[in-house]
Amino acid sequence: MPRDSQTATQSVSLRIAGVPVALDPSGAVWFPESRDLVVADLHFEKGSAYAERGRALLPPYDTAETLRRLEALVRRLKPDRLLCLGDTLHDVAGEARMDDGDRRRLGALVGAQDWVWIAGNHDPAPPSGLGGTASESARIGDVVLRHDVDDAAAIPAGELIGHYHPKAVVRTRARRVTARCFATDGRRLILPAFGAYAGGLNVRDPAIEGLLAADYRAYLVRPSGLFAFRREQLAPDPKRAA
């Protein structure tokens, strides 16, 4: 792993089970050898889901903003294949609520390269009529890609998952900084949520730390790039602090 640094880097190169990957400051993972691009937890139509259920009146622009960021990422990296690690839709009714223009934009993205929809707990089936391939998991070399860990399956050599929306809290001299983050111990890599309205769970929460070795690293996603921190440099969730 790279040496811990509080200097921003535009990407972080490391290996998961011997397979080279690059952590991108967008929150995506890039496999340079196979030209695979991986994103997790887009949660399209979360804003409309909250409005429909009366939970919150959020501006109804999350799908458009998430698509804008995804389009920019595809233009920049030009992948041969894009894999979505589940929870692409916030709920099974999200496709019906999606604006026609947003649906056309998503369809154009799916048609621009090979596309794999990994099933998530929010969306067991992918959007219909857009193409792509639906799967419970995928594999790149010795790395398994899926939405969440599978306790019933054999422990893989390497694994990429989403689902947990990791974020990290770091105390500086001036303030506390909270940001989405990647978390990895070299075998398992947990991706941050890519969706504009996706929330986050503190990486120090047992639900996340229980999936990683004690010497894991977190890579904070900030506008200026990625910042690497060791576990002991990360602040715990204050709600769980003793």
Side-chain angles (χ1 to χ4, degrees):
M1 286 187 177
R3 183 172 54 191
D4 297 323
S5 173
Q6 294 186 10
T7 301
T9 56
Q10 287 306 303
S11 67
V12 173
S13 297
L14 45 81
R15 289 178 179 267
I16 303 295
V19 179
V21 301
L23 310 184
D24 191 85
S26 66
V29 172
W30 174 244
F31 285 76
E33 293 184 346
S34 60
R35 300 193 60 78
D36 286 311
L37 180 62
V38 184
V39 293
D41 298 279
L42 303 177
H43 283 272
F44 289 137
E45 295 304 311
K46 181 174 181 177
S48 63
Y50 272 44
E52 188 173 78
R53 296 164 190 163
R55 293 181 60 184
L57 291 177
L58 300 173
Y61 308 124
D62 57 307
T63 296
E65 172 60 18
T66 301
L67 282 168
R68 182 194 66 78
R69 293 173 53 232
L70 193 56
E71 288 164 342
L73 186 60
V74 168
R75 283 195 301 270
R76 174 162 57 89
L77 294 177
K78 298 178 174 58
D80 290 340
R81 183 172 63 161
L82 195 150
L83 302 98
C84 293
L85 292 189
D87 287 2
T88 302
L89 293 167
H90 185 68
D91 59 17
V92 293
E95 181 179 4
R97 297 193 306 271
M98 189 177 291
D99 177 84
D100 287 344
D102 290 340
R103 184 177 174 83
R104 286 192 295 271
R105 291 171 66 188
L106 179 56
L109 273 172
V110 175
Q113 60 273 302
D114 290 339
W115 193 284
V116 179
W117 309 97
I118 302 295
N121 59 297
H122 282 253
D123 59 346
S128 60
L130 293 180
T133 302
S135 179
E136 290 294 320
S137 63
R139 181 180 288 271
I140 301 174
D142 287 333
V143 179
V144 174
L145 296 84
R146 49 190 165 214
H147 182 61
D148 193 5
V149 296
D150 184 353
D151 293 332
I155 298 175
E159 187 173 46
L160 262 67
I161 61 171
H163 183 58
Y164 294 93
H165 302 199
K167 67 179 182 180
V169 180
V170 177
R171 294 189 179 94
T172 69
R173 292 181 179 178
R175 60 192 176 106
R176 288 165 57 97
V177 175
T178 302
R180 296 180 301 142
C181 72
F182 298 92
T184 184
D185 58 6
R187 182 183 72 83
R188 179 172 283 149
L189 171 58
I190 306 175
L191 277 67
F194 195 87
Y197 282 179
L201 178 65
N202 192 310
V203 71
R204 294 289 307 275
D205 190 282
I208 295 179
E209 287 202 328
L211 301 175
L212 300 167
D215 61 348
Y216 73 85
R217 298 291 192 273
Y219 297 90
L220 272 67
V221 177
R222 300 290 292 162
S224 54
L226 298 171
F227 293 79
F229 292 92
R230 301 186 306 276
R231 176 187 183 275
E232 58 267 25
Q233 295 174 296
L234 304 171
D237 186 337
K239 295 189 294 295
R240 291 182 175 269

